[in-house]
């Protein structure tokens, strides 16, 4: 709220959390953020209960070469048209504005399922991206995911400010848990030697 009250657009604020599920997961946070910060009516709801409104922050979750949008693109819904009828069937369309696209991208049919709310993302999904402001809830509920690399990734996504909100014990657990406990077993040495 403080950032928004200082005229920081919500598209510049990224909530990052380790998990999709649970009380501190992206699914819960996205629902809360949408309800609190987007007063527009629900314009689209899919059969899995995902609701979209004009003004929602969304993310493209796969490469779509036909639409020329790619995994990780974050945009804003500019229009939802539920009046489109094809062969007697209602085929809604959703228009999304992306910073790196000249025109709004029009989604319809199964392409809509490639969109998710993006007020909150997993830290893993944010890798390779940068945001002006990052808010990171951290709690022992996320115990299995907490490690130094994950915390480092979260903090380094922020360009101007990263605010970690939560439990000191969880932060200390993340700092003191190195990835060596989760060593990858890829057999790469064996594969290289036996080419």
């Amino acid at each position: 709220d403080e950032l928004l009250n200082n005229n920081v657009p919500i598209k510049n604020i990224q909530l990052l959390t380790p998990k999709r599920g649970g009380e501190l997961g992206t699914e819960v946070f996205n629902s809360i953020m949408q309800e609190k910060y987007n007063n527009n009516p629900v314009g689209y709801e899919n059969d899995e209960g995902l609701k979209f409104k004009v003004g929602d922050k969304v993310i493209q979750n796969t490469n779509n070469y036909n639409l020329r949008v790619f995994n990780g693109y974050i945009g804003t819904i500019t229009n939802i048209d539920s009046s489109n009828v094809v062969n007697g069937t209602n085929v809604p369309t959703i228009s999304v504005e992306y910073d790196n696209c000249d025109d709004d991208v029009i989604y319809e049919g199964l392409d809509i399922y490639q969109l998710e709310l993006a007020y909150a993302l997993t830290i893993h999904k944010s890798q390779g991206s940068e945001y002006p402001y990052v808010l990171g809830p951290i709690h022992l509920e996320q115990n299995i995911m907490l490690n130094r690399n994950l915390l480092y990734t979260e903090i380094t996504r922020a360009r101007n400010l990263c605010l970690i909100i939560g439990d000191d014990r969880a932060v200390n657990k993340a700092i003191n848990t190195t990835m060596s406990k989760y060593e990858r077993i890829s057999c790469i040495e064996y594969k290289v030697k036996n080419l």
Side-chain angles (χ1 to χ4, degrees):
D1 287 343
E2 186 177 327
L3 290 171
L4 293 172
N5 290 337
N6 284 311
N7 298 316
V8 175
I10 200 160
K11 75 178 197 170
N12 291 344
I13 303 168
Q14 190 59 61
L15 196 77
L16 296 179
T17 186
K19 303 187 316 181
R20 288 180 59 90
E23 290 183 48
L24 297 175
T26 59
E27 294 165 357
V28 169
F29 278 122
N30 275 320
S31 178
I32 290 169
M33 298 285 286
Q34 181 189 50
E35 187 174 322
K36 181 168 181 167
Y37 296 110
N38 188 343
N39 295 324
N40 291 319
V42 173
Y44 172 86
E45 184 171 358
N46 71 18
D47 52 5
E48 296 169 359
L50 181 62
K51 300 172 185 174
F52 289 131
K53 303 175 179 182
V54 170
D56 274 337
K57 184 177 180 179
V58 292
I59 187 168
Q60 170 73 25
N61 275 321
T62 185
N63 293 335
N64 186 321
Y65 296 98
N66 292 328
L67 295 178
R68 298 173 66 164
V69 289
F70 302 97
N71 187 17
Y73 276 23
I74 294 178
T76 304
I77 294 177
T78 57
N79 188 46
I80 300 173
D81 183 358
S82 297
S83 66
N84 189 24
V85 177
V86 176
N87 297 328
T89 303
N90 185 14
V91 181
T93 60
I94 296 177
S95 303
V96 178
E97 176 184 55
Y98 294 103
D99 287 342
N100 42 355
C101 295
D102 293 333
D103 298 313
D104 285 5
V105 177
I106 310 298
Y107 290 82
E108 63 182 25
L110 293 177
D111 289 338
I112 293 173
Y113 286 82
Q114 298 172 7
L115 292 173
E116 286 185 16
L117 292 174
Y119 299 103
L121 299 175
T122 62
I123 297 168
H124 174 75
K125 187 74 173 176
S126 75
Q127 288 182 340
S129 298
E130 184 181 65
Y131 314 97
Y133 301 92
V134 169
L135 305 178
I138 188 166
H139 191 273
L140 289 176
E141 182 217 47
Q142 304 157 330
N143 185 39
I144 195 164
M145 300 291 292
L146 299 177
N147 64 66
R148 187 179 303 164
N149 289 21
L150 196 73
L151 185 61
Y152 172 83
T153 300
E154 179 174 47
I155 292 168
T156 58
R157 299 309 93 202
R159 189 178 318 129
N160 301 337
L161 171 74
C162 178
L163 181 61
I164 303 295
I165 305 162
D167 188 333
D168 288 343
R169 295 172 300 166
V171 173
N172 289 331
K173 179 180 183 343
I175 290 169
N176 293 318
T177 303
T178 61
M179 284 302 288
S180 62
K181 291 182 180 179
Y182 305 100
E183 186 176 334
R184 293 188 175 104
I185 303 172
S186 65
C187 302
I188 191 76
E189 182 180 0
Y190 172 81
K191 291 174 184 174
V192 169
K193 286 180 178 178
N194 294 297
L195 282 176

